[in-house]
Amino acid sequence: EPFPIILSGSVQRGFGRGGKDLGCPTANLPDESLPPMSSVTQTGVYYGFAQVTPSNDGQSTPLTSQDTLVHPMVMSLGWNPFYKNKQLTAEIHVMHDFRKDFYGHEMKAIVLGYIRPELDYVSREALIEDIETDKRVALNCLTRPAYEKFKQHTIFTGHP
Ligand code: ADP
Ligand code: MG
């Protein structure tokens, strides 16, 4: 098993492929943060935990204490058409209601498992429905007692 896989990087602007319109904003990780995923280049949807922590550049919008907790997440891994499908991209939807965007802040994630491959959708409704299913599947998977310990992983707590 390749899991857990640890990823981190500062949240970048995507190409606005409609995450927010679908009710599912996805925080894009920088390309440099992706090598740990090279053990599982299988595209599709993954689940795990994520945490947003403040960057100290002073430019990003402030985060609340709730925002900086460890939350469940779903992550989409795909080949980026912008780079002629030669570059992998990872986008993380955190299951938490952030009141504001958090571009520029640090995203840390532990990927714990795979949900499904990428699919083509006949409609926007079908896609939205599938995203909702992914979130339920992720939350359900993450209730396993064996996953509890990952919420206290050193990448999140900062201490061993
Ligand atoms: P982009 O193309 O820039 O990634 P999106 O529509 O996918 O645009 O929105 C992503 C941005 O929304 C994230 O970078 C983050 O700043 C913000 N955001 C707000 N709430 C969430 C959330 N629950 N999960 C992920 N990103 C969120
Ligand atoms: Mg996005």
Side-chain angles (χ1 to χ4, degrees):
E1 271 246 329
F3 307 113
I5 296 170
I6 291 166
L7 301 175
S8 72
S10 71
V11 176
Q12 300 202 320
R13 276 177 197 281
F15 306 105
R17 279 189 292 177
K20 281 174 195 142
D21 323 329
L22 297 169
C24 189
T26 56
N28 295 44
L29 290 174
D31 297 343
E32 313 85 76
S33 68
L34 288 183
M37 286 304 291
S38 57
S39 56
V40 283
T41 48
Q42 193 157 199
T43 60
V45 180
Y46 292 80
Y47 64 88
F49 292 114
Q51 182 188 37
V52 179
T53 58
S55 81
N56 38 27
D57 68 357
Q59 305 236 25
S60 309
T61 48
L63 297 166
T64 67
S65 56
Q66 291 291 309
D67 290 345
T68 60
L69 297 177
V70 176
H71 296 289
M73 64 81 167
V74 285
M75 183 183 88
S76 161
L77 185 76
W79 294 101
N80 193 331
F82 191 81
Y83 297 103
K84 297 182 178 170
N85 301 321
K86 283 175 187 160
Q87 175 72 59
L88 269 180
T89 52
E91 306 179 17
I92 293 179
H93 175 71
V94 185
M95 284 182 261
H96 169 69
D97 183 10
F98 294 87
R99 301 297 175 83
K100 297 191 169 128
D101 285 345
F102 49 85
Y103 291 111
H105 286 301
E106 183 81 359
M107 167 76 84
K108 296 170 182 172
I110 298 191
V111 185
L112 294 170
Y114 185 66
I115 300 178
R116 64 166 172 90
E118 283 181 295
L119 301 167
D120 283 326
Y121 294 95
V122 290
S123 70
R124 186 187 138 89
E125 287 70 30
L127 169 58
I128 292 173
E129 220 171 275
D130 227 15
I131 294 169
E132 289 310 311
T133 303
D134 294 334
K135 292 183 199 173
R136 279 198 305 275
V137 170
L139 288 172
N140 191 40
C141 289
L142 292 167
T143 63
R144 290 167 202 265
Y147 286 148
E148 275 298 304
K149 64 170 189 268
F150 293 112
K151 287 190 213 164
Q152 276 89 49
H153 194 279
T154 44
I155 65 144
F156 297 140
T157 62
H159 52 76

